[in-house]
């Protein structure tokens, strides 16, 4: 291979690498893009039963990641919608589109996202459980209070006004999408929560 051709191949590969690195930095520093990428990536991964839950997260989704002590501070002092979940949770994947839609319809610019599988989450888990104690689900096997997902809290100036765990009563199989009636029922629950914090 000629020297000139090698040089151009090297420049092309270096350019591709630089573009890739810049793209990763942009995704990781922009919460909305990071969330779209994180949740969108799971669209292509089947669960153990072979099912996939494909969702379409908009670019302007309003998600702001909270991590570590920031979670505690924002819960204690903030106002807004707090979503506790994780990207591969099948129930979470079914609530996120209706939640984003209702937030947009109400001009709520931010949904605070707490990824309960994040490494930093373990550091504050017990403290958060103390804050959320009255709202936690009791595990039937252990009889202990647990953080369940998805769990959406509506908080005004550090006071939890209401919250909603899971989807709707009639929805039993997260591997099948909710029908329009179920989505509208869930959206009405979220709408009522937003009314509490306006």
């Amino acid at each position: 291979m000629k020297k000139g051709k090698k040089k151009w191949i090297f420049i092309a590969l270096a350019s591709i690498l630089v573009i890739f690195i810049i793209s990763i930095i942009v995704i990781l520093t922009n919460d909305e893009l990071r969330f779209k990428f994180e949740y969108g990536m799971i669209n292509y991964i089947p669960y153990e039963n072979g099912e996939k839950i494909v969702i379409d997260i908009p670019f302007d989704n309003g998600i702001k990641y909270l991590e570590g002590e920031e979670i505690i501070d924002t819960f204690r002092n903030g106002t807004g919608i707090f979503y506790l979940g994780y990207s591969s949770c099948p129930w979470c994947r079914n609530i996120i589109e209706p939640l984003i839609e209702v937030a947009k319809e109400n001009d709520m610019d931010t949904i605070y996202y707490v990824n309960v599988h994040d490494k930093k989450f373990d550091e504050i888990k017990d403290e958060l459980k103390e804050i959320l104690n009255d709202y936690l689900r009791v595990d039937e096997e252990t009889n202990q209070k647990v953080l369940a997902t998805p769990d959406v809290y509506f908080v005004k100036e550090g006071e939890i006004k209401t919250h909603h765990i899971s989807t709707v009563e009639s929805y039993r199989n997260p591997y099948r999408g909710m029908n329009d009636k179920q989505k509208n029922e869930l959206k009405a629950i979220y709408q009522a929560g937003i009314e509490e914090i306006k």
Side-chain angles (χ1 to χ4, degrees):
M1 192 180 291
K2 293 182 180 179
K3 254 187 177 177
K5 197 170 187 178
K6 282 183 181 178
K7 179 181 174 184
W8 285 110
I9 290 173
F10 175 77
I11 290 172
L13 290 174
S15 298
I16 291 169
L17 181 61
V18 168
I19 290 169
F20 177 75
I21 291 169
I22 290 171
S23 299
I24 295 298
I25 290 169
V26 167
I27 288 170
L28 293 177
T29 57
N30 180 306
D31 284 351
E32 290 178 310
L33 286 177
R34 177 179 168 192
F35 188 81
K36 180 173 177 59
F37 178 75
E38 182 181 322
Y39 272 64
M41 171 172 82
I42 305 297
N43 285 342
Y44 306 101
I45 302 171
Y47 288 86
E48 290 177 3
N49 63 3
E51 298 287 336
K52 294 179 186 174
I53 302 171
V54 178
I55 58 175
D56 184 24
I57 304 294
F59 284 103
D60 60 336
N61 53 57
I63 295 294
K64 176 173 179 6
Y65 281 72
L66 294 179
E67 297 172 341
E69 280 300 319
E70 185 181 28
I71 297 169
I72 302 302
D73 293 342
T74 310
F75 252 107
R76 284 198 171 135
N77 304 304
T79 296
I81 302 168
F82 291 74
Y83 159 53
L84 281 67
Y86 59 98
S87 62
S88 63
C89 163
W91 300 98
C92 298
R93 295 181 69 72
N94 282 283
I95 68 100
I96 195 60
E97 288 177 300
L99 180 61
I100 290 170
E101 288 171 18
V102 172
K104 280 185 179 183
E105 289 165 6
N106 285 275
D107 297 321
M108 301 287 292
D109 296 331
T110 305
I111 299 170
Y112 296 108
Y113 174 49
V114 178
N115 180 348
V116 299
H117 282 185
D118 184 71
K119 292 174 194 170
K120 295 178 185 174
F121 182 73
D122 287 340
E123 298 169 9
I124 56 89
K125 184 177 183 176
D126 291 337
E127 193 173 355
L128 183 61
K129 282 175 81 173
E130 286 178 29
I131 293 170
L132 306 178
N133 187 52
D134 294 341
Y135 305 94
L136 298 178
R137 179 177 282 168
V138 176
D139 182 279
E140 293 173 8
E141 292 178 19
T142 64
N143 209 27
Q144 300 283 322
K145 289 190 175 185
V146 294
L147 287 166
T149 59
D151 202 355
V152 180
Y153 289 83
F154 300 88
V155 180
K156 185 171 187 175
E157 297 172 359
E159 180 185 346
I160 298 169
K161 295 296 187 177
T162 188
H163 86 118
H164 184 73
I165 296 176
S166 195
T167 57
V168 293
E169 191 66 34
S170 65
Y171 188 61
R172 302 259 190 253
N173 184 349
Y175 302 105
R176 289 194 189 133
M178 283 189 281
N179 62 37
D180 288 341
K181 183 179 177 184
Q182 291 165 327
K183 284 181 186 175
N184 288 333
E185 183 181 348
L186 185 60
K187 287 175 75 172
I189 292 167
Y190 293 152
Q191 179 64 45
I194 288 171
E195 295 298 328
E196 291 277 335
I197 63 173
K198 278 187 171 180

